[in-house]
Amino acid sequence: MSSTNRLCSIRIDDSDLPAPSPEVSQERKVAIFDLLENNRFELADRDGQKMQEGPYSLVISIWDGRLVFDVGSSDGTTIVKFYLSLAPMRQTMKDYFAICSSYYNAVKKLPRAQIETVDMARRGIHNEGARSLRRRLKGKIDVDTATAKRLFTLVCALQPRR
């Protein structure tokens, strides 16, 4: 992994949102930890201009119903902000929340084979969410699949539910 094409810090700004549940808080911590351990994150050139190289800091928030990616230098100084509509991902997120709920319920009472079936469906929807996020970021930020999956987890963790 390049030492410049990566995230070195990630923060979620949820100051305008209800407090997350303990489960959501844990999801965030795990996703952030995993992202910081291994990620690929590179700003795409804009208007023919080369963007500043990383490593990057990232603050993710929701503002006026839109997803905000505030990308900064390693010291946190903003380089660029991207505002993305969540509408193209809403159905995938809704499906993901539903399958996660089914998965958590399955773990409590179903046999292993049925749990594995639900988990496969959960992973499939999670992968679709990551693909959708990559499409939304195209031309702005280049990320690999694993990074997109963890970022999708963080985007979902910003949504009020549960």
Side-chain angles (χ1 to χ4, degrees), residues 27 95-105 122 162:
E27 285 176 18
D95 294 345
Y96 182 66
F97 298 149
I99 197 71
C100 283
S101 179
S102 295
Y103 174 76
Y104 297 134
N105 289 330
R122 182 187 61 81
R162 301 181 202 174

Side-chain angles (χ1 to χ4, degrees), residues 55-89:
Y56 303 103
S57 62
L58 176 65
V59 179
I60 301 174
S61 61
I62 301 291
W63 182 79
D64 198 24
R66 294 183 293 170
L67 177 63
V68 180
F69 274 51
D70 183 344
V71 182
S73 60
S74 59
D75 68 4
T77 304
T78 297
I79 298 170
V80 65
K81 280 188 182 183
F82 298 108
Y83 297 83
L84 305 171
S85 171
L86 287 168
M89 296 190 303

Side-chain angles (χ1 to χ4, degrees), residues 1-8 10 34-44 56 58 69 134 137 141-151:
M1 170 177 61
S2 167
S3 62
T4 59
N5 297 332
R6 66 178 180 83
L7 291 168
C8 63
I10 303 162
D34 289 345
L35 269 167
L36 292 176
E37 285 293 305
N38 186 22
N39 70 78
R40 184 172 162 289
F41 190 97
E42 181 177 9
L43 290 175
Y56 303 103
L58 176 65
F69 274 51
R134 282 182 89 182
L137 293 172
I141 303 169
D142 185 28
V143 296
D144 61 11
T145 300
T147 300
K149 287 170 76 168
R150 291 177 184 118
L151 287 172

Side-chain angles (χ1 to χ4, degrees), residues 17-18 97 156-162:
L17 301 173
F97 298 149
C156 288
L158 273 169
Q159 303 306 304
R161 67 188 197 284
R162 301 181 202 174

